Amino acid sequence: MDNLVIAGKTYASRLLVGTGKYKDFNETRAAVEASGAEIITVAIRRTNIGQNADEPNLLDALPPSQYTLLPNTAGCYTVEDAVRTLRLARELLDGHSLVKLEVLGDPKTLYPNMVETLKAAEILIKEDFQVMVYTSDDPIIAKQLEDMGCVAVMPLASLIGSGMGILNPWNLQIIIDNAKIPVLVDAGVGTASDATIAMELGCDGVLMNTAIAAAKNPVLMASAMRKAVEAGREAYLAGRMAKKLYSASPSSPVDGVIARSDTVTAKPATNKSA
Amino acid sequence: MIQLTINGQPQQFEAPINVSQLIDHLALHGKRIAIERNGEIIPRSQFSQQILSHGDQLEVVVAVGGG
């Protein structure tokens, strides 16, 4: 079987999905189910104090017994906040150590601050976290993160939530070619073809949230993404044909094409008014 | 009288309380939460032993939808 292996654990699905921005937990669950994802990201936030104690809980809709929950550090701009958030997440999830680290640098672009990300990754790895790390598409940084002991590198395809697709396939390709750990495109996928392109490049998986949640029909888009990731993976494994610039090659036999007669020639039209 | 800061909000208590009592007070009993006290995680196993002190800063978190 062609499985995704992260930190020694095997997953049949190469599509990872977020759980943010849905209308309600029913829609979240329906979209997650349609996506076929086994790893789903969650955020860690302060609970509401003193209001609506019976508020529904995400983990009731998506139980940790059925999914691998991947807590993230979305919204963290410092090493300290990111590390504290993931320590809380590990306690919340009964010692579960697989996490998604992101340290953001700028609220407008949500671009990762790689200097801070490297520092946070080092601390977390020392504390035995299994770190899947959101990164810029810089091949040198991606390799450093791998060498430090991150279990997966997750370069952006374009800005978080932008839906701009794969803006720099060349950098992604270098990262993929250099890596011995899984490379997942995280952020920027807008529609199914973007996910397919990422997988055709040789990515091990794709992580997305907004492309599904912000679609007009999120559940249908989740199903489309599942197929797109599978199609891209199969195309990658199959190995695409070489591109032949300005050189057509017929798919059907050249010989044996029927013809009325070898002598048939077009007659010139006569111009009666001349 | 002690004052605790819980998720950024100050709250007063008549007498010192432990973490389990605080959870009951906040109507969070049985919820899947994690708690940090002055930057340090309080393991669930220690909820009934840790007595909170005046000035403690507490963060009480849950998992929410996110990407």
Side-chain angles (χ1 to χ4, degrees):
Chain A
M1 277 300 289
D2 171 47
N3 289 320
L4 171 64
V5 180
I6 299 175
K9 198 173 165 200
T10 300
Y11 304 91
S13 172
R14 291 176 180 275
L15 174 58
L16 288 67
V17 298
T19 54
K21 300 182 180 173
Y22 288 98
K23 182 176 76 193
D24 54 36
F25 288 151
N26 283 336
E27 190 182 67
T28 314
R29 183 173 44 217
V32 169
E33 280 173 6
S35 77
E38 295 162 276
I39 302 177
I40 58 176
T41 62
V42 298
I44 303 298
R45 290 291 179 272
R46 286 173 162 176
T47 186
N48 282 333
I49 297 294
Q51 21 177 317
N52 200 3
D54 289 324
E55 206 173 17
N57 185 302
L58 177 70
L59 300 189
D60 295 332
L62 298 165
S65 55
Q66 280 177 39
Y67 296 96
T68 296
L69 296 184
L70 186 64
N72 69 24
T73 57
C76 292
Y77 287 83
T78 64
V79 172
E80 194 200 349
D81 285 354
V83 170
R84 280 172 63 199
T85 297
L86 292 178
R87 286 176 184 150
L88 280 162
R90 180 154 69 177
E91 178 63 21
L92 186 72
L93 299 173
D94 305 321
H96 168 89
S97 60
L98 187 70
V99 295
K100 171 180 161 178
L101 171 66
E102 54 186 300
V103 185
L104 304 176
D106 165 41
K108 189 175 175 195
T109 61
L110 301 178
Y111 207 82
N113 180 332
M114 294 318 302
V115 175
E116 300 298 298
T117 302
L118 285 161
K119 290 182 203 160
E122 192 172 6
I123 296 170
L124 292 165
I125 291 164
K126 271 192 194 138
E127 295 185 15
D128 295 324
F129 282 92
Q130 295 172 321
V131 180
M132 299 176 69
V133 58
Y134 178 57
T135 176
S136 62
D137 61 4
D138 179 329
I140 306 302
I141 296 274
K143 194 66 191 171
Q144 281 183 330
L145 290 163
E146 174 177 346
D147 291 344
M148 286 170 70
C150 290
V151 299
V153 287
M154 305 200 291
L156 51 80
S158 47
L159 299 182
I160 294 173
S162 71
M164 290 291 287
I166 317 286
L167 296 188
N168 194 340
W170 310 103
N171 273 32
L172 290 178
Q173 192 72 71
I174 297 170
I175 293 171
I176 292 163
D177 290 348
N178 286 343
K180 293 189 181 66
I181 56 172
V183 177
L184 293 88
V185 153
D186 180 2
V189 165
T191 188
S193 52
D194 297 334
T196 304
I197 290 168
M199 295 306 294
E200 285 173 349
L201 286 171
C203 281
D204 296 280
V206 180
L207 199 170
M208 65 179 75
N209 190 153
T210 311
I212 296 174
K216 288 199 177 71
N217 182 337
V219 178
L220 189 57
M221 186 58 90
S223 164
M225 291 300 186
R226 172 187 201 148
K227 292 167 187 162
V229 168
E230 286 173 2
R233 179 64 184 176
E234 288 187 2
Y236 168 74
L237 292 175
R240 63 153 297 148
M241 62 165 281
K243 288 183 183 174
K244 292 183 221 161
L245 198 59
Y246 306 129
S247 169
S249 165
S251 302
S252 308
V254 179
D255 295 330
V257 179
I258 61 163
R260 249 164 63 204
S261 156
D262 288 339
T263 58
V264 172
T265 49
K267 289 179 183 172
T270 47
N271 188 342
K272 287 177 181 168
S273 67
Chain B
M1 185 78 96
I2 63 161
Q3 178 168 305
L4 308 174
T5 304
I6 305 163
N7 289 352
Q9 296 169 15
Q11 282 205 33
Q12 263 110 39
F13 296 85
E14 294 290 329
I17 56 169
N18 67 34
V19 181
S20 292
Q21 289 165 325
L22 176 73
I23 290 168
D24 289 343
H25 170 80
L26 298 173
L28 293 172
H29 184 76
K31 304 274 178 191
R32 197 182 262 270
I33 55 169
I35 304 184
E36 185 194 70
R37 177 190 188 186
N38 303 325
E40 301 286 330
I41 299 290
I42 309 179
R44 224 169 290 166
S45 57
Q46 289 179 25
F47 279 0
S48 54
Q49 290 130 56
Q50 284 217 20
I51 312 290
L52 299 167
S53 319
H54 181 73
D56 276 353
Q57 305 272 337
L58 298 160
E59 294 288 343
V60 185
V61 302
V62 290
V64 302

